[in-house]
Amino acid sequence: MKRVLYISSAVGEMTEADIADILAASRRNNRDAEVTGMLLHLDGGFLQILEGPEAEVEETYARIAADPRHCHVTPLWSETASVRAFPDWTMGFERVPENDPRWDGAFRVDANAPAEHLAPGAGAEIVALMRSFYDCASKRRFA
């Protein structure tokens, strides 16, 4: 199984309806391809993890990279994994609070962002961070 982490920037403002459309299509396509993952959104930036069979993850990533609704699609990290981090989510989603100073600048995406901001080996730490969103959402769902 392959896991890929990437960032991108939205082209224009993303409305709630735009996000809903992206999520509906992603969940349908990912279910058919046996791909799972998590999408975080803040202030026009996206951070996403895709995981599943290698060919399907690569095909999904290629489709995302060609989507005209965003730009600067930049792979940050990939790995071979034996266990899914997001087994129950064809596409989990969280909108990070925009007014929370802890996230200030976290999703600023430009051509230099990966080289300047992602330390070697940080991909596993980002997966763990995103997994915490998954764990919290799962607890809310079953509470």
Side-chain angles (χ1 to χ4, degrees):
M1 180 181 68
K2 183 172 186 173
R3 184 176 295 131
V4 173
L5 171 71
Y6 76 90
I7 55 174
S8 68
S9 294
V11 174
E13 186 176 335
M14 297 296 288
T15 66
E16 293 296 323
D18 293 332
I19 297 289
D21 289 345
I22 289 169
L23 290 172
S26 295
R27 289 172 175 152
R28 181 183 59 249
N29 293 338
N30 290 355
R31 181 184 59 247
D32 294 344
E34 298 182 10
V35 170
T36 57
M38 174 76 184
L39 176 67
L40 295 180
H41 176 255
L42 170 66
D43 196 25
F46 294 97
L47 177 69
Q48 184 171 25
I49 294 176
L50 300 169
E51 59 186 9
E54 184 172 355
E56 285 78 359
V57 167
E58 289 176 3
E59 182 180 306
T60 299
Y61 178 79
R63 185 175 58 251
I64 290 167
D67 188 323
R69 293 175 290 190
H70 61 156
C71 60
H72 303 297
V73 179
T74 307
L76 298 179
W77 176 76
S78 68
E79 71 172 350
T80 300
S82 58
V83 178
R84 290 179 188 264
F86 310 96
D88 300 321
W89 282 0
T90 52
M91 187 47 55
F93 175 75
E94 288 287 336
R95 182 181 303 274
V96 179
E98 292 184 31
N99 296 323
D100 187 332
R102 295 175 297 175
W103 292 96
D104 187 38
F107 287 79
R108 288 201 180 103
V109 181
D110 61 39
N112 297 319
E116 292 177 0
H117 302 293
L118 190 66
E125 294 173 12
I126 293 171
V127 171
L129 169 71
M130 292 177 75
R131 175 65 196 222
S132 70
F133 283 100
Y134 173 85
D135 291 340
C136 288
S138 295
K139 288 177 185 175
R140 284 193 306 262
R141 185 173 49 177
F142 296 114

